[in-house]
């Protein structure tokens, strides 16, 4: 294996990759992944709607400068969260799945303890560092005292968010989709929306809103951790863990996680660098013009981020069994589902970017529409190529992951500090899009070299070509005639429906959701067999 991390030997050495042809696939693992991810996607859509309403309330309630300061602080929190996690929130779920598959409860217990302790300790260090250097931040880095004051309130969110991701990954490994549906996608977003709406109605300041944002994050992390303990008792894992003396595989965990910290830190750094450069060269209003549409652009990543929760433990178990052919099938079928389900969102945020932006965040942000379009293009390209970074992690290809992250981050630094002084928020969006495409291509080439994952299966090409043609036609109609947004939404719905029908056989809808065959209309539309499951 190219660049295998130190954990590879401790788990097992993969069998040689079979490139002679696909092995027979029963589809059970893939069906489990797609079906479970479908449930999580439903929950994610609910939480997305709630979070979007929260974002709209904040954007419309605050002035453009205050919203820019608030967004600056949240971007710094996101960077801090990725740093204090040390990549453990993602690597731990890999080790937990592998150790559980091998019934190695001592190392499983040690992995959990090490991950939680590390995140909490580094969270305290980060908080003390930011508080201790607040004057230097205000004078030399941020250049705005109000932004630093907000950061002082929100920085405690960094370890809370890291713990949330850690608990979520472990819950997905043991309990599947149903168990995390409520806690991940309903509890936190409902609580945050309620608190923010009440504070906005009470005419609270931006500092009061930040305090409410922090309190909901802390409560959500505590509730998720409590649920995880309850889950361990329910499935009997707590009894197995108590019967074992914990063996902390620090060398394996840190040896894998520390190099891979580059992935999360580099991604967060690329996002924060754009905000930093805008704040450095322009006013907080420029930060607001960029950050206000990021939640809208990230709609393109909803399906992608939802599917990865179950993909990692399933692919890790297949890796432990040396089943590379099924990993390849799981990888590309997941990528296709992600692409088809994300396509309507891409059309709305790319083709209908201007009316969609004005509708949601107001006329004052009309110029942010072009920012939204470029950000959406980059994120949709990321979705098309699937889980290349996650799969490289599962195969332990640390060297290529770190190299690709560093190259993409170096490209981002160069682009940001060249185009942002010239073009402001639009330049930040174009640079972000270019870096996403560049990074994904690097990862895809690396994946081809070390795994059984092939390039695009030939049967996918016509489908992707059809989506490209549909996008071009709708963009031309919108550019020439500028129909009202409700007309554009109807066109998007019709085009997306046609693409879904065209892709029905490639998506293996009947094999994945056989119970849909009970409905005659669905059975005819998707070409199901006459047998009713």
């Amino acid at each position: 294996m190219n660049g295998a991390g130190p954990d590879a030997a401790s788990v097992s050495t993969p069998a040689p990759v079979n490139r002679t042809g696909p092995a027979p696939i029963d589809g059970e693992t893939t069906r489990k992944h797609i079906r479970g991810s479908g449930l999580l996607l439903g929950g994610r859509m609910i939480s997305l709607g709630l979070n979007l309403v929260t974002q709209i309330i904040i954007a419309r309630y605050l002035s453009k400068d205050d919203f820019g300061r608030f967004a600056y602080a949240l971007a710094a929190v996101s960077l801090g969260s990725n740093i204090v996690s040390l990549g453990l929130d993602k690597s731990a779920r890999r080790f937990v799945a592998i150790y559980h598959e091998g019934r190695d409860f001592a190392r499983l217990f040690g992995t959990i303890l090490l991950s939680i302790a590390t995140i909490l300790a580094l969270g305290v260090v980060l908080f003390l560092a930011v508080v201790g250097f607040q004057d230097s931040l205000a004078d030399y880095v941020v250049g705005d005292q109000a932004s630093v004051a907000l950061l002082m309130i929100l920085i405690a969110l960094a370890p809370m968010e890291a713990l949330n991701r850690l608990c979520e990954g472990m819950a997905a490994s043991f309990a599947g989709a149903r168990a995390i549906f409520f806690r991940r996608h309903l509890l936190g977003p409902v609580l945050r929306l309620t608190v923010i709406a009440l504070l906005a109605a009470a005419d609270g300041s931006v500092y009061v809103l930040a305090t409410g944002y922090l309190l909901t994050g802390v409560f959500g992390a505590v509730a998720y951790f409590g649920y995880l303990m309850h889950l361990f008792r329910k499935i009997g894992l707590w009894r197995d863990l108590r019967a074992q003396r914990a063996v902390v595989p620090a060398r394996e965990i840190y040896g894998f996680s520390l190099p891979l910290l580059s992935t999360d830190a580099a991604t967060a750094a690329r996002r924060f660098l754009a905000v930093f450069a805008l704040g450095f060269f322009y006013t907080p209003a420029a930060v607001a013009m960029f950050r206000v549409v990021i939640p809208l652009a990230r709609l393109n990543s909803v399906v992608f981020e939802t599917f990865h929760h179950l993909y990692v433990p399933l692919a890790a178990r297949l890796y432990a069994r040396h089943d590379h052919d099924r990993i390849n099938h799981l990888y590309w079928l997941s990528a296709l589902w992600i692409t088809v389900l994300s396509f309507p969102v891409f059309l709305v945020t790319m083709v209908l970017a201007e009316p969609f932006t004005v509708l949601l965040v107001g006329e004052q942000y009309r110029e942010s529409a072009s920012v939204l379009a470029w950000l959406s293009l980059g994120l949709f390209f990321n979705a098309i190529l699937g889980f290349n970074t996650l799969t490289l992690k599962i195969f332990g290809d640390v060297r290529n992951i770190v190299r690709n992250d560093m190259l993409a981050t170096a490209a981002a630094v160069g682009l940001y500090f060249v185009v942002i002084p010239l073009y402001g928020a639009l330049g930040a969006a174009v640079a972000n899009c270019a870096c996403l495409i560049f990074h994904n291509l690097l990862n895809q080439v690396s994946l081809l070299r070390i795994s059984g994952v092939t390039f695009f299966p030939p049967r996918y090409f016509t489908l992707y070509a059809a989506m490209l043609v549909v996008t071009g036609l709708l963009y031309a109609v919108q550019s020439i005639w500028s129909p009202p947004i409700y007309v554009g939404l109807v066109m998007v719905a019709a085009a997306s429906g046609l693409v879904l029908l065209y892709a029905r056989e490639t998506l293996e809808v009947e094999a994945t959701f056989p119970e849909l065959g009970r409905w005659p209309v669905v059975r005819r539309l998707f070409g199901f067999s006459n047998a009713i499951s």
Side-chain angles (χ1 to χ4, degrees):
M1 184 185 302
N2 186 14
D7 68 300
S10 65
V11 178
S12 59
T13 302
V17 177
N18 175 18
R19 298 185 185 276
T20 60
I25 296 174
D26 58 18
E28 182 58 33
T29 299
T30 305
R31 282 197 298 271
K32 180 180 178 182
H33 168 54
I34 301 298
R35 288 168 62 86
S37 296
L39 176 62
L40 287 180
L41 176 60
R44 179 66 173 139
M45 295 303 294
I46 296 172
S47 68
L48 179 68
L50 296 172
N51 288 331
L52 192 57
V53 172
T54 302
Q55 170 78 12
I56 292 171
I57 291 174
I58 295 174
R60 288 182 174 270
Y61 173 73
L62 298 177
S63 68
K64 190 177 289 187
D65 282 340
D66 276 346
F67 181 79
R69 296 183 179 103
F70 188 79
Y72 191 104
L74 286 181
V77 167
S78 178
L79 176 61
S81 174
N82 283 282
I83 292 174
V84 302
S85 72
L86 284 184
L88 292 169
D89 54 324
K90 292 183 174 63
S91 62
R93 76 180 71 172
R94 175 186 186 267
F95 283 98
V96 163
I98 291 175
Y99 289 144
H100 189 249
E101 184 74 14
R103 311 295 290 174
D104 190 347
F105 296 113
R107 284 183 170 79
L108 193 158
F109 194 17
T111 299
I112 295 173
L113 291 178
L114 179 67
S115 301
I116 294 174
T118 300
I119 290 173
L120 290 176
L122 291 179
V124 172
V125 171
L126 175 66
F127 177 80
L128 294 177
V130 172
V131 172
F133 289 97
Q134 57 180 302
D135 292 335
S136 298
L137 289 173
D139 293 337
Y140 304 112
V141 179
V142 181
D144 183 73
Q145 186 64 49
S147 296
V148 175
L150 284 173
L151 181 59
M152 294 302 101
I153 298 173
L154 291 170
I155 193 61
L157 267 178
M160 297 299 103
E161 290 184 356
L163 283 175
N164 256 327
R165 295 195 300 269
L166 177 68
C167 293
E168 179 183 321
M170 288 191 288
S173 296
F174 295 116
R178 294 178 183 271
I180 65 175
F181 177 87
F182 171 78
R183 288 154 188 86
R184 169 64 177 171
H185 298 304
L186 291 180
L187 179 62
V190 168
L191 182 63
R192 180 167 292 173
L193 174 59
T194 302
V195 171
I196 295 301
L198 290 175
L199 292 177
D203 199 25
S205 68
V206 64
Y207 303 103
V208 175
L209 289 177
T211 302
Y213 212 85
L214 169 62
L215 292 177
T216 57
V218 172
F219 178 82
V222 172
Y224 218 139
F225 183 76
Y227 164 69
L228 192 62
M229 296 301 100
H230 168 74
L231 173 62
F232 285 174
R233 292 186 179 92
K234 182 178 179 182
I235 65 178
L237 184 60
W238 188 253
R239 180 181 62 255
D240 294 325
L241 295 178
R242 290 183 63 184
Q244 299 282 339
R245 174 176 293 182
V247 175
V248 179
R251 183 177 180 182
E252 290 84 1
I253 301 296
Y254 286 145
F256 187 83
S257 298
L258 287 176
L260 294 182
L261 174 62
S262 66
T263 299
D264 294 332
T267 300
R270 290 194 292 269
R271 294 172 180 170
F272 181 70
L273 279 172
V275 174
F276 172 78
L278 284 169
F280 185 82
F281 291 108
Y282 297 90
T283 65
V287 177
M289 295 293 288
F290 178 74
R291 287 285 300 184
V292 75
V293 294
I294 285 183
L296 307 183
R298 286 182 182 167
L299 295 175
N300 291 278
S301 297
V302 170
V303 182
F304 182 91
E305 292 171 355
T306 301
F307 272 48
H308 93 267
H309 294 304
L310 298 183
Y311 176 85
V312 172
L314 288 174
R317 293 178 192 275
L318 291 174
Y319 170 79
R321 301 169 193 167
H322 317 310
D323 199 341
H324 298 268
D325 290 304
R326 284 197 176 96
I327 291 177
N328 183 60
H329 183 259
L330 177 67
Y331 180 94
W332 281 115
L333 188 59
S334 298
L336 188 63
W337 274 94
I338 291 167
T339 302
V340 172
L341 294 178
S342 301
F343 187 59
V345 177
F346 172 67
L347 291 178
V348 171
T349 56
M350 174 70 178
V351 176
L352 306 180
E354 184 171 324
F356 187 57
T357 300
V358 174
L359 175 67
L360 292 185
V361 294
E363 184 66 34
Q364 62 176 333
Y365 291 109
R366 179 180 289 274
E367 293 181 7
S368 296
S370 55
V371 175
L372 172 60
W374 280 102
L375 291 174
S376 298
L377 178 60
L379 289 172
F380 186 65
F381 186 87
N382 181 67
I384 288 174
L385 290 186
F387 299 120
N388 44 40
T389 302
L390 289 177
T391 308
L392 285 172
K393 288 183 179 181
I394 289 167
F395 277 83
D397 190 22
V398 176
R399 186 178 67 183
N400 279 323
I401 292 173
V402 174
R403 183 202 63 189
N404 296 345
D405 289 335
M406 294 302 100
L407 287 174
T409 302
V413 172
L415 285 173
Y416 284 151
F417 284 91
V418 169
V419 300
I420 287 179
L422 297 175
Y423 302 106
L426 177 60
V430 173
N432 183 274
C433 176
C435 289
L436 272 173
I437 293 174
F438 177 59
H439 190 217
N440 269 278
L441 292 176
L442 288 176
N443 283 334
Q444 203 68 31
V445 171
S446 298
L447 192 60
L448 283 170
R449 292 175 177 173
I450 62 99
S451 72
V453 176
T454 62
F455 197 59
F456 283 117
R459 65 184 185 278
Y460 289 9
F461 279 113
T462 56
L463 176 59
Y464 286 123
M467 286 190 279
L468 180 62
V469 170
V470 166
T471 302
L473 290 175
L474 291 185
Y475 188 82
V477 170
Q478 185 67 27
S479 300
I480 296 172
W481 288 288
S482 299
I485 187 169
Y486 62 86
V487 175
L489 291 175
V490 171
M491 291 190 300
V492 166
S496 302
L498 290 174
V499 168
L500 179 60
L501 289 176
Y502 184 71
R504 63 185 183 273
E505 292 185 6
T506 312
L507 288 171
E508 303 177 14
V509 177
E510 183 174 8
T512 306
F513 297 101
E515 64 271 22
L516 293 180
R518 297 189 178 97
W519 301 87
V521 173
V522 175
R523 195 162 63 245
R524 287 194 296 270
L525 283 175
F526 288 97
F528 279 26
S529 61
N530 292 328
I532 299 177
S533 303

